[in-house]
Amino acid sequence: MDMKAVVSSTGLMLLFAWLSPSQALYFHIGETEKKCFIEEIPDETMVIGRYKTQLWDKQTGSFLPSTPGLGMHVEIKDPDAKIILSRQYGSDGRFTFTSHTPGEHQICLHSNSTKMALFAGGKLRVHLDIQVGEHTNNYPEIAAKDKLTELQLRVRQLLDQVEQIQKEQNYQRYREERFRMTSESTNQRVLWWSIAQTFILIITGIWQMRHLKSFFEAKKLV
Amino acid sequence: VSLSPQLCALMFSWIRASELTFELPDNAKQCFYEDIIIGTKCTLEFQVVTGGHYDVDCRLEDPDGTVLYKEMKKQYDSFTFTASRNGTFKFCFSNEFSTFTHKTVYFDFQVGDDPPLFPNENRVTALTQMESACVSIHEALKSVIDYQTHFRLREAQGRSRAEDLNTRVAFWSIGEAFILLVVSISQVLLLRSFFSDKKTTTTRVGS
């Protein structure tokens, strides 16, 4: 009896987890507008994004629950501006990627549909949910798959969290190194360019005086 | 064991945490909406990562349109409120005061508490010592991750300023050296032209 209840509750939880974008944060997007979100993540981190779109219906004066044929184009760029994912999804979509280089990844969404113009108003409501790192783990699913007790599951969650903290610390060290290199480079540039400019100043001053002296001597004014 | 209390629990407190970083172009306003149930404790936290003077206008409204939070040109803030009624809450970030700098804004909107690890969390038996230890470690680690995020954003800010400074130093140094050369050469040429053009007057003044 207990097992059945646990399994059914797990099933419900999974169902709600899948349906969650309908309750997530949403924003409005124009027809050809491209909305980009930045995720600064360490390497080997998994990111799951879920979205759900709703189209404004002028006739009913509200947003339709779902519109077939409406698609969103998802484009994900890695820190080197290389495209790692560029796909078309339906009106409801789920995209996943794992970062291989640490840094700022850019997730861009834009609607490719021209149907919006037909419906006028051109307003599209997009529910979006992006989960990063250990938030991507579905714990009830893991418990069911590996048959973990409650305590074991809690410890697993703690392990995942600590792993995420370690990855972030590693990334932090890498960023600090980059920052230090940039500062050193600025320092060098300031130093050498100041010396160069002082040198140019002195040289041009000397040249000016010598040139004018010879010019006036030629003109027989001096 | 009946399922309906659990179902009610799940539907009653919709628990979400949305954390996004987006770019806000100049003269633009970006609004986000969320449907919240009455009595839910929510927290909105935002930080400007890059751009201009690192400030943005933020405004939070309840379903009636009453402004719950309104701040102009803030760099970082955190606001906690309890939903006084059911409906769609709206919060907007505005960069309309800026003419040419776009800003990158990070925000974290927490609705309710974190979802429990198990669907049947509201059970009769209390947590064992091990389990409550796990819960407190989990909470502590959550705050560590939160601090790390804020630190990362501050560091990103510092880093973008440093990189900006680096390119500006290079650009202006080269520019200044060039201007220096141009000005000194043109000074000499100009001075020469004063004495070269008026040949007749020069000889008269000379003698």
Side-chain angles (χ1 to χ4, degrees):
Chain A
M1 217 16 137
D2 215 44
M3 201 49 211
K4 222 171 120 183
V6 169
V7 167
S8 332
S9 338
T10 313
L12 273 165
M13 193 66 176
L14 286 170
L15 185 69
F16 277 114
W18 180 257
L19 287 176
S20 56
S22 61
Q23 298 285 357
L25 198 71
Y26 64 84
F27 55 93
H28 295 133
I29 190 171
E31 195 178 322
T32 49
E33 211 182 324
K34 192 173 188 176
K35 273 278 180 283
C36 290
F37 297 95
I38 298 163
E39 286 294 331
E40 195 173 351
I41 45 178
D43 60 348
E44 308 308 323
T45 305
M46 184 152 163
V47 176
I48 294 178
R50 280 179 293 213
Y51 74 86
K52 183 179 143 82
T53 52
Q54 285 180 307
L55 191 64
W56 176 258
D57 186 14
K58 220 169 77 158
Q59 291 156 347
T60 59
S62 68
F63 283 90
L64 299 169
S66 71
T67 316
L70 195 66
M72 289 288 270
H73 187 92
V74 177
E75 195 178 79
I76 301 173
K77 288 201 189 124
D78 76 351
D80 305 317
K82 201 176 69 167
I83 296 173
I84 51 179
L85 195 113
S86 180
R87 264 188 66 179
Q88 188 88 352
Y89 291 90
S91 68
D92 291 4
R94 183 177 181 273
F95 55 90
T96 305
F97 72 95
T98 306
S99 59
H100 297 294
T101 33
E104 279 187 11
H105 290 71
Q106 205 181 45
I107 300 166
C108 290
L109 299 162
H110 69 95
S111 170
N112 68 327
S113 178
T114 47
K115 255 191 186 175
M116 281 170 66
L118 293 170
F119 283 103
K123 252 199 321 188
L124 189 69
R125 177 180 285 184
V126 182
H127 298 259
L128 184 67
D129 178 38
I130 297 177
Q131 296 294 331
V132 176
E134 62 104 10
H135 295 289
T136 58
N137 293 336
N138 191 344
Y139 287 103
E141 195 184 304
I142 292 171
K145 190 169 72 109
D146 296 341
K147 295 181 186 38
L148 300 173
T149 66
E150 194 175 321
L151 191 62
Q152 283 175 325
L153 190 69
R154 282 192 192 278
V155 171
R156 173 72 70 93
Q157 190 187 34
L158 292 176
L159 285 172
D160 290 336
Q161 273 188 305
V162 169
E163 199 186 313
Q164 189 180 345
I165 289 170
Q166 274 186 308
K167 278 195 207 153
E168 185 77 30
Q169 298 271 36
N170 236 357
Y171 177 43
Q172 160 63 13
R173 194 168 48 82
Y174 162 84
R175 274 179 291 141
E176 193 271 339
E177 202 181 302
R178 257 185 60 191
F179 189 8
R180 202 164 12 104
M181 271 168 34
T182 307
S183 300
E184 300 262 327
S185 161
T186 307
N187 190 28
Q188 290 293 312
R189 281 183 192 185
V190 164
L191 178 70
W192 289 112
W193 277 107
S194 306
I195 290 171
Q197 274 179 14
T198 312
F199 186 70
I200 290 172
L201 195 62
I202 293 169
I203 293 295
T204 49
I206 292 169
W207 171 79
Q208 273 184 327
M209 291 303 111
R210 279 177 57 169
H211 186 90
L212 285 173
K213 187 169 174 217
S214 63
F215 174 71
F216 288 138
E217 277 171 354
K219 290 277 173 197
K220 297 185 176 55
L221 290 167
V222 176
Chain B
V1 177
S2 62
L3 291 171
S4 31
Q6 283 140 4
L7 200 67
C8 289
L10 278 172
M11 290 181 78
F12 234 63
S13 53
W14 198 263
I15 33 215
R16 275 249 72 79
S18 310
E19 190 181 71
L20 288 174
T21 311
F22 65 97
E23 201 177 277
L24 193 60
D26 45 303
N27 287 317
K29 183 170 160 174
Q30 178 69 41
C31 293
F32 294 91
Y33 309 81
E34 177 123 23
D35 299 325
I36 304 174
I37 292 164
I38 188 169
T40 323
K41 187 167 158 228
C42 312
T43 310
L44 172 67
E45 210 176 331
F46 68 92
Q47 189 168 352
V48 182
V49 186
T50 62
H53 290 290
Y54 305 93
D55 50 5
V56 77
D57 296 341
C58 179
R59 186 193 175 93
L60 174 67
E61 285 174 14
D62 76 355
D64 297 320
T66 323
V67 176
L68 297 172
Y69 171 83
K70 184 179 163 169
E71 283 289 338
M72 315 293 276
K73 299 197 179 183
K74 263 281 197 173
Q75 200 272 310
Y76 159 81
D77 208 359
S78 174
F79 177 68
T80 309
F81 67 97
T82 310
S84 54
R85 42 162 299 170
N86 283 324
T88 309
F89 283 72
K90 163 178 156 177
F91 59 98
C92 299
F93 296 100
S94 165
N95 196 22
E96 282 155 340
F97 56 85
S98 175
T99 34
F100 53 86
T101 44
H102 22 236
K103 312 258 163 83
T104 311
V105 180
Y106 159 90
F107 74 86
D108 181 10
F109 193 54
Q110 181 105 8
V111 176
D113 294 318
D114 271 346
L117 205 55
F118 292 94
N120 51 344
E121 191 76 4
N122 18 330
R123 44 192 216 164
V124 185
T125 56
L127 296 169
T128 66
Q129 261 200 334
M130 284 291 282
E131 281 168 2
S132 35
C134 282
V135 169
S136 40
I137 294 173
H138 176 67
E139 292 298 318
L141 289 180
K142 261 207 324 215
S143 76
V144 169
I145 291 174
D146 202 33
Y147 279 125
Q148 272 191 328
T149 306
H150 285 293
F151 185 74
R152 173 171 51 85
L153 294 171
R154 284 243 179 266
E155 191 268 343
Q157 206 178 313
R159 191 169 21 102
S160 92
R161 254 204 232 259
E163 280 168 4
D164 202 27
L165 186 67
N166 195 24
T167 47
R168 261 192 283 165
V169 161
F171 179 70
W172 281 109
S173 302
I174 294 170
E176 246 185 77
F178 181 71
I179 288 169
L180 203 60
L181 282 168
V182 166
V183 166
S184 53
I185 291 171
S186 44
Q187 267 183 332
V188 167
L189 291 174
L190 199 64
L191 211 58
R192 276 171 65 135
S193 72
F194 288 154
F195 294 92
S196 306
D197 285 346
K198 308 149 197 170
K199 278 199 172 71
T200 47
T201 42
T202 313
T203 46
R204 268 225 321 256
V205 170
S207 58

